[in-house]
Amino acid sequence: MSEAPAYVIANFDIHDADEYRKYEKGFFPILKRHEGEFFTYDDNTETFEGASPRTGRMVMFKFPSAEKAQAWYADPDYQALSEHRRAGTHLHFLTMVHGMPPRA
């Protein structure tokens, strides 16, 4: 049986674009190392119902499993790189959502 994918969703406001660019430049090689797949980002999300979520940038990416997502986040290279994100943004949330297991 295949593992269920895990999705990571981040929401943040960028207040120092230069610091955030340093983060962006190093992000994708580390993501790929952990078999992560970038989906999309949006600076202008639209809420159809309910209270509007936080403002700012929404980013979505996927890993083949929760274990891969956790390994990505715990990676010392990612943690060092994320200092640029912390310096350049105000993070509202960085959340892992467990995907549905494949149906037989």
Side-chain angles (χ1 to χ4, degrees), residues 24-102:
E24 280 184 318
K25 286 180 183 179
F27 177 82
F28 290 100
I30 298 170
L31 181 70
K32 295 243 183 244
R33 183 185 320 154
H34 293 280
E35 301 177 41
E37 179 183 339
F38 180 79
F39 270 173
T40 192
Y41 79 94
D42 191 344
D43 290 327
N44 298 296
T45 60
E46 183 176 344
T47 301
F48 292 125
E49 289 189 35
S52 182
R54 308 270 184 190
T55 60
R57 180 166 290 183
M58 191 77 71
V59 178
M60 297 173 61
F61 43 103
K62 172 184 168 183
F63 292 92
S65 67
E67 291 77 20
K68 295 273 186 186
Q70 291 160 342
W72 159 79
Y73 185 74
D75 185 313
D77 291 340
Y78 176 72
Q79 285 300 312
L81 179 67
S82 69
E83 290 303 318
H84 295 294
R85 176 185 43 78
R86 291 179 181 103
T89 71
H90 171 75
L91 182 68
H92 299 291
F93 61 81
L94 179 62
T95 301
M96 178 172 65
V97 178
H98 298 90
M100 300 283 293

